[in-house]
Amino acid sequence: MKKRKIPLRKSVVSGEMIPKKQLLRITRSKEGDVSIDPTGKKPGRGAYIAIEPEEAQMAWDKHILDRVLETKLSDEFYQELYDYVSHQKARRELFGDE
């Protein structure tokens, strides 16, 4: 059998190339709305971060997503992102890789 190519994306926090399934996409729509995109299919400008609470915290501390998505994000959004990433990491550890 032919081996399938695994799509890679770059994490905006660490700068590492990581398989797309291990990343979380954050999108900014044309209207300027920023949201978490668990499906990875929403239209708009996207930025990826690894599903690691440390990366979400570093993005919050340094406001990396503000610069990458060229918008001002609130602390509430960063808190929601951190909680989501923590929950997803716990799920993956509990149930294994999807």
Side-chain angles (χ1 to χ4, degrees):
M1 259 178 78
K2 201 174 191 181
K3 194 172 183 181
R4 291 189 69 165
K5 182 179 172 188
I6 299 171
L8 299 174
R9 298 291 182 268
K10 187 181 232 179
S11 169
V12 295
V13 177
S14 67
E16 293 179 49
M17 294 297 282
I18 302 172
K20 190 176 175 184
K21 279 191 167 191
Q22 297 174 12
L23 295 169
L24 175 65
R25 185 170 187 248
I26 294 101
T27 58
R28 186 197 71 211
S29 67
K30 286 184 179 180
E31 293 78 33
D33 301 327
V34 177
S35 62
I36 296 171
D37 181 10
T39 63
K41 296 180 180 180
K42 284 185 180 177
R45 175 86 168 96
Y48 292 90
I49 69 164
I51 300 180
E52 294 291 332
E54 298 82 27
E55 280 212 14
Q57 187 64 49
M58 191 181 300
W60 189 355
D61 293 342
K62 297 182 178 181
H63 292 279
I64 293 171
L65 293 173
D66 289 23
R67 282 182 275 142
V68 172
L69 297 174
E70 298 170 348
T71 187
K72 178 74 177 123
L73 298 174
S74 66
D75 284 341
E76 289 82 25
F77 177 80
Y78 279 111
Q79 183 63 51
E80 179 187 345
L81 176 65
Y82 182 80
D83 294 341
Y84 184 85
V85 168
S86 299
H87 177 74
Q88 290 300 318
K89 179 162 174 78
R91 280 193 59 163
R92 287 191 177 193
E93 288 174 354
L94 190 60
F95 298 115
D97 210 13
E98 296 169 16

